[in-house]
Amino acid sequence: MTESTSGLNRVLRAAAARVPEPRAAHRFLNRLTHPLRMDDYSSLIYPLWSSRELRGEVVTVRREAEDTVTLVIKPGWGATPHYQPGQYLGIGVLLDGRWTWRSYSLTSAPTTGRGEYSVTVKALPEGLLSNHIVGTVEPGTIVRLAAPAGDFHLPSPTPSKLMFVTAGSGITPVMGMLRSLDRRSVTEPFPDVVHVHSVREREDALFLEELRALEKTQPGYVLHLRVTSEEGRIDSRQMSDLVPDWSERPTWACGPNAMLDELDEHFDATGRDDLHVERFTVNRDAGASGGTVTFGSTGKTVELDGATTILEGGEQVGVQMPFGCRMGICQTCVVGLDEGHVRDLRNGTDHGPGERIQTCISVALGDVELKL
C-alpha cells in the first residue's frame, strides 16, 4: 500500500467514525471523495462499506453437528434488523470464482439495532454451496446478502395458543420464532406453545440444549421430541393423542414433504385453514418429459430431463438468471415463456406460451424457449 493510499485510509476511517449513522456517513464521504464515489475507495478499505450491494462478514462459525454449522453474520451498510422471525436470508458466497446464491432460514431474532444475522446450514448430499459452507467457510469471510423475505412467520399479534411441527433441519425457521418469542417475553406474555419435533437419531436434534432450557424458563413452552429410528414417524392419530387440543392451535410446520403433505391432508379433511407450511424441497417426480431449453437472446441451449429445473439448466451452460429462495416462494426468478410448456414441481400445474414462470421450480415438457 502506498503512503498516499494509507493516508486516505486513515482519513476515511476517521471521517466515518465521526459520523456514526451509516447513511449520513455515506453522504459525508461522497462529498469528501467527489468526483469519484466513496464506494470506489471505501469497499477496498473495508468490504462492508458499500452502498451498491448489501454485504456481510462472517464473524462466528459455530458447529451444531458434524454436518451443520451456524453462521453469525455482521451486515454492512443497508442492512435492516426489521425482518419477521421465520423468514429467510439470501446469501451469496464466492465459490470457484463465481458468486453462488442460496437462501437459508434466519435462526436469529430481530434486534432494535443493526445487529447480526444468524443462519444454520446443514450440508446436503447434492448441496454444492451447503457443503462448501459447512466444510470451508471461516470467520472473516465476506458474503453478499439479499434482504430477508418470506411469508412463513408469526402474525402480529401472536396467537395465545399455537403449535410448531418440525423435522430435521426444518427446525431452523421455527428456532428464529422461538428466540423472538423468548426475547419479547420481557414485555409480553410467552404464548402457549406445543412443539413436536422429529429427528432420525437423537444426536441429530439441533438446538436441543437450548430447547430444553426454554422449557425450564418458559412454562408456556412444551417440547415433544420424536426419534423416528426408535418410534417411527408420527401420524395424525398419534398427534391427536400427544396434543389433544391441536385442532385449536394455529400450526406452523417445516420439514420433509411427506410430513407436510400428511398435515395438509389432515387440515383439509377437518376444514381448517390455519396451517402454515415452509418447504425446503420440491417433488422432483412430476412426470415431466424434459426437453431442449433455449435461453432466449443468449442463444444457449441445454438438454434437460424431467427432474432438472430450468434454473439449474441455465446454470449448467453459464446463463445467469435471477433467483432468490430456489423454493418457489420469493418470485425473484420469474421470466416469460415464449414457446413450449413447463410443469410446476410444487403442484403439477402446466404453463404455456405467453405465461410467466418461476424457473427454480419449473421443468420442461418438451422443447422450451424462454424470453430473456
Side-chain angles (χ1 to χ4, degrees):
M1 182 179 290
T2 66
E3 183 177 349
S4 60
T5 303
S6 177
L8 178 59
N9 288 358
R10 289 194 297 272
V11 169
L12 289 172
R13 286 182 181 272
R18 290 196 300 270
V19 190
E21 203 282 316
R23 292 179 181 174
H26 194 268
R27 290 193 298 269
F28 175 80
L29 292 174
N30 265 334
R31 291 196 296 270
L32 180 68
T33 59
H34 184 78
L36 296 177
R37 287 181 59 83
M38 184 272 295
D39 274 8
D40 295 325
Y41 298 106
S42 63
S43 60
L44 296 176
I45 301 164
Y46 185 42
L48 301 193
W49 289 353
S50 173
S51 62
R52 294 178 179 174
E53 61 184 12
L54 180 57
R55 299 177 182 176
E57 179 183 358
V58 177
V59 294
T60 303
V61 180
R62 184 170 60 248
R63 189 158 294 277
E64 307 287 357
E66 184 178 351
D67 60 353
T68 307
V69 297
T70 291
L71 304 183
V72 179
I73 301 170
K74 176 184 177 182
W77 284 347
T80 173
H82 304 299
Y83 58 89
Q84 297 292 330
Q87 290 188 306
Y88 55 82
L89 179 71
I91 299 178
V93 178
L94 194 58
L95 178 58
D96 296 331
R98 289 177 50 195
W99 289 98
T100 302
W101 287 81
R102 296 292 185 272
S103 295
Y104 297 106
S105 298
L106 284 153
T107 48
S108 51
T111 63
T112 54
R114 291 178 66 202
E116 294 173 337
Y117 299 130
S118 76
V119 295
T120 301
V121 181
K122 179 181 175 68
L124 302 174
E126 71 283 3
L128 179 67
L129 188 59
S130 65
N131 279 277
H132 175 75
I133 289 174
V134 171
T136 306
V137 168
E138 298 178 345
T141 300
I142 300 299
V143 296
R144 293 179 177 177
L145 302 174
D151 297 326
F152 188 74
H153 57 78
L154 295 176
S156 182
T158 304
S160 59
K161 294 176 66 173
L162 57 97
M163 182 167 71
F164 296 132
V165 181
T166 58
S169 59
I171 195 174
T172 52
V174 166
M175 202 65 212
M177 296 181 190
L178 288 171
R179 286 171 172 166
S180 181
L181 292 173
D182 189 40
R183 176 172 291 178
R184 290 185 211 163
S185 67
V186 176
T187 57
E188 59 187 69
F190 194 95
D192 178 352
V193 178
V194 174
H195 183 187
V196 180
H197 180 52
S198 298
V199 292
R200 181 169 178 76
E201 304 290 347
R202 194 170 297 273
E203 57 268 25
D204 296 335
L206 300 176
F207 314 114
L208 185 56
E209 278 189 33
E210 185 175 349
L211 295 174
R212 292 301 189 199
L214 190 62
E215 277 193 302
K216 295 177 181 178
T217 58
Q218 297 290 359
Y221 175 72
V222 176
L223 173 67
H224 295 290
L225 181 65
R226 178 91 171 190
V227 181
T228 59
S229 64
E230 302 171 5
E231 307 167 86
R233 286 180 49 229
I234 192 168
D235 57 29
S236 56
R237 180 190 60 78
Q238 293 167 330
M239 186 80 76
S240 297
D241 293 339
L242 194 63
V243 190
D245 65 345
W246 75 308
S247 62
E248 303 169 16
R249 296 177 180 271
T251 299
W252 281 258
C254 184
N257 283 329
M259 180 191 84
L260 300 179
D261 290 343
E262 186 170 340
L263 281 172
D264 268 333
E265 291 174 8
H266 179 80
F267 274 68
D268 286 344
T270 54
R272 294 175 56 193
D273 61 358
D274 53 359
L275 173 65
H276 311 272
V277 167
E278 180 88 306
R279 295 178 185 267
F280 287 163
T281 60
V282 293
N283 177 20
R284 298 273 179 164
D285 185 16
S289 59
T292 300
V293 177
T294 302
F295 297 92
S297 59
T298 69
K300 294 185 177 182
T301 64
V302 64
E303 287 285 339
L304 297 181
D305 59 28
T308 302
T309 68
I310 289 172
L311 176 63
E312 292 166 339
E315 290 172 337
Q316 290 176 15
V317 293
V319 177
Q320 297 300 305
M321 293 180 289
F323 66 87
C325 67
R326 302 179 77 97
M327 296 181 289
I329 299 172
C330 70
Q331 304 290 319
T332 303
C333 67
V334 174
V335 301
L337 181 60
D338 260 355
E339 296 181 13
H341 292 79
V342 301
R343 179 163 294 165
D344 188 320
L345 289 174
R346 296 169 304 174
N347 51 31
T349 301
D350 295 344
H351 299 279
E355 294 188 69
R356 293 178 62 78
I357 64 166
Q358 292 176 261
T359 60
C360 76
I361 42 84
S362 294
V363 292
L365 287 171
D367 295 343
V368 168
E369 183 169 350
L370 302 180
K371 187 175 183 179
L372 292 179

